[in-house]
């Protein structure tokens, strides 16, 4: 039996005890257990399932500081950030507990029989959402807590009633193992089958490939690179029964500086932009990797202030040496693009630490070279100087799909913003004004998703309560006797607090 | 410029005037116009869009009897069936008009700002569903009206706000052309851009392939064969930007005869079953191609009655000579399976007419040969004699995904039905009792969908109001000023009749 080690982000060196590498037999056994647990788990009532999610949150908090310390060592991220991330992780689980309790996710519908309808009677028809089956989740490197073992994908899949098999990210195996133990404790405490949650570990991609290929897995959640996401999608589509892969992959998150805002506060925007760009060493899916504006004094002031801030930026430890290397390659590729000028560079990095970089180019050059639109994961961004609004609109229209699009605007920019909005809606899952894309609120109206390649499925979100819909499918019951119907579809369940669409009219309970 | 002819189903011979074959240039032009029309069409208000759908219904009725006559000639289906289908087509459009007016499909969500929240303020976040973009629809051969040019896919895509490009089915080009003209009249009467609806014609699959490959198409609706659906899915996935294909492909719709029902009325069930089996020459996606029951006197009576009814069945004109040929091949394949016995055969068919066939086999033989589980499109079915409930459950668990599963049961069968229900839910989109799967009600609680290969996406339905969700995606708006927000997300729109989820609580208007 082979083993592997956790790598400390700051040193790039192995640390801690050797860790077990799961085998393909372990994958198959985990999938067997998940499938065997499915019917029992999906039969849990709303209150029971909500209490389970809340128990997971408690168990994670009960790990205490050793969780934060493990995540700090493995990710290189600072304490305050990881404490915040733990709060978000726990908050997500509690949000989904509330969602489960309220029952909207079941989408209950009843079309009563019409025995006297002409020319044919209408049968009694009832609909509910059921979970799709066991789900494979791939944690993200850049959110070792909130987007990993017990992150948003896991929380939403468990909320939907799907057993989860996590392929732990090899960049934080100790952190992932601690969280997996916490979930296992919650499973045991709630008297649920062990197969409701399982965690697989190992450094090789083969493990994840075997997991997605297992016929008992019915959906996949993934956050990571475009190449990684596309590889899993290919496996999922080549199966005898293809399955959906919800992959969040690649986004450069355009920030549009509209003329009046730029005129009023170009300098302040430049400094604030670098704050967003360099946060967490730029390792956010929503990092602002592209700035678009029309030429003018305001833009000059923005660039000057941003350049000053970038120059003063210290290098920061990146998540892994591999990510650091990829960042350096991406920066070199951008720097070599014809028409791209390096405006500023922060203090030099090293093997584990990345330095911030700011580039600029013209709208014309950007339109001529699609390579400038590819994500560079880290604290690099490119400012595109457009000659007028029309060129800026062409640049936006030519972009790939994005997680976010940001507008900095004053009230006098409203007309231009309204003209840009329909273009931006076709490009991004979230459009925000006068802020920075790097904060993702966990709530009901959040969309953390967007057109390809931002994600593989723009019909969904991976953050916020709507994420539960990814793991559900509708089933219709026609003329099924009350004592055979699922509980929540029986007449006696009306009034249980869940909304129902009865003959096309929404009733709150 | 080449042309092609409509083929009369009854004779298998060309009839009528030569029809224009659209070229790949026509495909590109149609997609360009659809894309150009998208923003204007999606900006239509709920009332305006609903009125447009209702106008389409009126224009279809205004065609009058020539539509029914054309469909009779092209499909070989009888007048009463086609008049009923026209009623359903019109009813679907009106149902979606009602859905559009009520506004639930927009899934409006508002999470108000919390400026004083600690440690960080919450921004104002609002969410709505927007249409995905131009949609390609492939009409079905077996429903020349209700599942074709103005069928459920078209109605739901237009309701969502998506321009539609229909690839007309070459089995009914005159019917499709008449309906396309009716929709075009509605587009013009409502002052909408021509690109909102377009219709392409031709006998070759290349036309459809080019349509799905066009980068401006953002989703595909298809009803047809498994091979056809899989071919379109491959094209859609190989695009630079992959898109969803909602393909309804293949289902044998198991009918489970539970012991008490069989004992009480085996003979009556046998006769009624053949009525469902032979309706429309068996050319329904929900045709009962598989009957499962436990051995016993009741089953013997069922088979005897069904055999008698099949023997008396007259051959019926099938939709096309190609479908007739494929049916003959499928019947021959089933007949040659080891362990399969031909129980009864109807009066012999010919080049255009198919004859009904009833087979039987044992549970053991069925479990040993997956070929018996493949769809034979037409009036053929196979009865599987299981030795006990456990074997019956194994047969069900081994089936591919299905559109429907039917239970014939008495109250004393409730225990067995409850044991089977969780298995059936994992196999089918609709579970019905004491009826036949061939009637598909158009309503809110209908699911006409199911696990692969019944469809390519079990998270959806192609019939009923839930079908609109296939063509929508969520967009989130963060801190966007009221005068820039889409109308329905402004504070001033609250009270417009659409439900909203406000800070997690559903408000009806």
């Amino acid at each position: 039996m082979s083993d592997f080690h956790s790598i400390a982000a700051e040193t790039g060196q192995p640390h801690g005890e050797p860790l077990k590498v799961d085998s393909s037999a372990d994958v198959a056994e985990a999938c067997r257990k998940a499938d065997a647990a499915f019917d029992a788990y999906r039969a849990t009532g709303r209150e029971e399932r909500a209490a389970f999610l809340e128990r997971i949150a408690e168990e994670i908090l009960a790990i205490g500081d050793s969780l934060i310390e493990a995540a700090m060592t493995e990710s290189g991220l600072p304490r305050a950030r990881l404490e915040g991330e733990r709060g978000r992780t726990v908050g997500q689980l509690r949000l989904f507990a509330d969602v489960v309790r309220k029952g909207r996710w079941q989408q209950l519908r009843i079309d009563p029989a019409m025995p006297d309808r002409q020319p044919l009677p209408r049968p009694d028809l009832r609909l509910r959402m059921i979970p799709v089956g066991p789900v494979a989740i791939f944690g993200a490197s850049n959110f070792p807590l909130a987007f990993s073992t017990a992150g948003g994908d896991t929380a939403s899949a468990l909320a939907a009633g799907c057993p989860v098999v996590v392929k732990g990210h090899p960049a934080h195996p100790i952190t992932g193992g601690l969280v997996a133990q916490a979930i296992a404790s919650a499973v045991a405490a709630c008297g649920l089958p062990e197969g409701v949650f399982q965690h697989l570990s190992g450094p090789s991609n083969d493990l994840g490939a075997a997991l997605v290929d297992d016929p008992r897995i019915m959906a996949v959640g993934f956050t990571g690179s475009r190449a990684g996401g596309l590889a899993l999608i290919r496996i999922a589509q080549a199966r005898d029964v293809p399955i959906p892969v919800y992959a969040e992959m690649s986004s450069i998150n355009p920030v549009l500086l509209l003329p009046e805002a730029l005129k009023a506060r170009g300098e302040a925007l430049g400094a604030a932009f670098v704050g967003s760009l360099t946060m967490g060493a730029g390792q956010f899916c929503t990092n602002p990797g592209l700035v678009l504006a029309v030429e003018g004094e305001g833009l000059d002031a923005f660039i000057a202030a941003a350049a000053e801030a970038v120059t003063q930026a210290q290098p920061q430890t990146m998540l892994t040496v591999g990510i650091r290397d990829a960042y350096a390659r991406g920066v070199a590729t951008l720097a070599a693009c014809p028409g791209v000028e390096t405006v500023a560079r922060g203090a030099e990095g090293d093997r584990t630490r990345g330095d911030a970089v700011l580039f600029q180019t013209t709208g014309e050059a950007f339109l001529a070279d699609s390579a400038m639109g590819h994500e560079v994961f880290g604290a690099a961004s490119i400012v595109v100087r457009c000659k007028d609004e029309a060129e800026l609109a062409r640049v936006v229209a030519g972009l790939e799909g994005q997680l976010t699009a940001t507008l900095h605007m004053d009230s006098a920019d409203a007309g231009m913003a309204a003209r840009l909005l329909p273009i931006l809606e076709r490009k991004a899952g979230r459009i925000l004004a006068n802020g920075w894309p790097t904060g993702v609120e966990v709530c009901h109206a959040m969309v953390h998703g967007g057109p390809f390649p931002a994600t593989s499925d723009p019909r969904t979100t991976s953050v916020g309560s709507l994420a539960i819909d990814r793991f559900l499918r509708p089933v219709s019951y026609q003329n099924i006797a009350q004592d055979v119907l699922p509980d929540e579809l029986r007449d006696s369940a009306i009034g249980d607090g869940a909304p129902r669409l009865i003959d096309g009219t929404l009733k709150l309970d």
Side-chain angles (χ1 to χ4, degrees), chain A:
Chain A
M1 188 150 73
S2 60
D3 54 36
F4 75 116
H5 274 83
S6 170
I7 308 289
E10 206 169 293
T11 63
Q13 298 300 321
H15 73 112
E17 300 297 310
L19 304 166
K20 178 187 174 236
V21 175
D22 283 311
S23 66
S24 59
D26 295 323
V27 172
E29 176 62 8
C31 294
R32 190 196 62 71
K33 282 163 76 175
D35 189 61
F38 178 45
D39 282 335
Y41 183 53
R42 73 188 179 99
T44 52
R46 278 150 48 194
E47 179 52 40
E48 186 181 357
R49 204 182 296 166
F52 167 53
L53 295 171
E54 288 168 340
R55 182 64 183 248
I56 297 174
E58 285 164 35
E59 297 284 347
I60 289 171
L61 291 175
I63 303 171
D65 205 51
S66 61
L67 179 63
I68 302 297
E69 281 167 7
M72 286 170 67
T73 304
E74 293 190 309
S75 70
L77 294 168
R79 171 176 287 277
R81 150 68 192 271
L82 288 165
E83 287 179 350
E85 210 186 305
R86 179 176 58 186
R88 175 170 159 179
T89 307
V90 167
Q92 284 175 162
L93 288 158
R94 290 176 177 156
L95 173 73
F96 278 110
D98 182 58
V99 166
V100 168
R101 275 198 184 91
K102 286 189 172 147
R104 262 187 304 106
W105 59 276
Q106 299 173 105
Q107 296 197 37
L108 304 176
R109 294 174 167 219
I110 301 178
D111 288 321
M114 295 177 170
D116 302 324
R117 191 183 62 173
Q118 293 301 328
L120 287 172
R122 180 170 86 174
D124 179 278
L125 278 152
R126 298 173 190 234
L127 181 150
R128 68 165 180 165
M129 289 285 169
I130 71 166
V132 295
V135 171
I137 305 284
F138 291 76
S141 62
N142 60 338
F143 276 84
L145 299 172
F147 259 94
S148 195
T149 311
D153 285 343
T154 297
S156 53
L158 289 176
C162 298
V164 166
V165 183
V166 165
K167 158 66 173 66
H169 201 291
H172 49 257
I174 296 174
T175 307
L178 286 171
V179 173
Q181 279 169 24
I183 304 178
S185 298
V187 168
C190 294
L192 294 169
E194 210 185 341
V196 167
F197 177 85
Q198 294 164 96
H199 184 249
L200 298 168
S201 298
S204 157
N205 288 337
D206 295 350
L207 200 64
L211 182 59
V212 174
D213 201 37
D214 190 286
R216 289 157 293 206
I217 294 297
M218 296 310 291
V220 179
F222 169 87
T223 303
S225 71
R226 188 161 172 171
L230 294 178
L232 294 184
I233 292 167
R234 275 191 298 273
I235 294 167
Q237 290 175 342
R239 292 166 39 128
D240 286 345
V241 174
I243 53 172
V245 176
Y246 300 105
E248 187 206 310
M249 297 182 289
S250 168
S251 182
I252 57 171
N253 304 296
V255 174
L256 284 65
L257 308 171
L258 302 201
E260 297 299 327
L262 206 47
K263 201 183 296 174
R265 52 181 187 284
E267 189 180 334
L269 285 172
F273 157 68
V274 176
S276 175
L277 175 67
T278 58
M279 189 193 299
Q283 301 167 121
F284 284 94
C285 311
T286 53
N287 194 55
L290 182 68
V291 178
L292 307 174
V294 175
E295 286 281 11
E297 280 178 27
L299 180 55
D300 294 339
F302 173 90
I303 292 178
E308 173 65 21
V310 163
T311 305
Q312 291 175 14
Q314 292 305 304
Q316 292 178 77
T317 301
M318 296 191 75
L319 293 158
T320 69
V321 171
I323 287 172
R324 169 70 185 101
D325 287 348
Y327 175 65
R329 284 196 304 274
V331 165
T333 301
L334 259 185
C337 284
V340 169
E341 181 194 334
T342 304
V343 176
R345 202 147 186 160
E348 199 178 336
D350 54 26
R351 180 168 166 266
T352 61
R353 295 183 305 159
D355 41 352
V357 192
L358 185 66
F359 299 104
Q360 68 174 356
T361 190
T362 62
E364 193 179 352
F366 189 89
L367 285 165
D369 186 355
S370 63
M372 290 186 212
H374 291 164
E375 184 183 39
V376 176
F377 189 71
S381 191
I382 181 165
V383 180
V384 180
R385 309 177 75 114
C386 300
K387 64 172 193 273
D388 52 25
E389 180 184 333
E391 189 178 77
L392 187 149
R394 276 200 305 280
V395 169
V396 174
L399 292 175
E400 293 189 310
Q402 305 291 336
L403 292 171
T404 69
T406 300
L407 294 164
H408 280 280
M409 55 176 289
D410 274 359
S411 54
D413 293 311
M416 182 169 169
R419 288 190 294 278
L420 287 167
L421 200 66
I423 312 176
L424 295 174
E425 288 172 331
R426 291 172 75 163
K427 290 292 165 187
R430 176 165 58 111
I431 300 164
L432 64 147
N434 297 328
W436 302 98
T438 33
V440 180
E441 184 70 31
V442 180
C443 59
H444 300 286
M446 175 51 64
V447 176
H448 189 67
F452 186 93
T455 77
S456 56
D457 192 337
R459 295 164 296 176
T460 65
T461 174
S462 62
V463 175
S465 62
L466 197 63
I468 193 173
D469 289 0
R470 297 177 296 169
F471 302 114
L472 297 167
R473 49 170 278 256
V475 174
S476 180
Y477 303 81
Q478 179 176 323
N479 281 349
I480 303 288
Q482 290 285 321
D483 60 342
V484 179
L485 272 176
D487 289 347
E488 60 266 38
L489 287 176
R490 297 182 187 185
D491 290 343
S492 57
I494 295 177
D496 69 355
R500 285 168 173 76
L501 189 72
I502 298 184
D503 215 5
T505 299
L506 195 57
K507 310 272 188 187
L508 285 193
D509 57 24

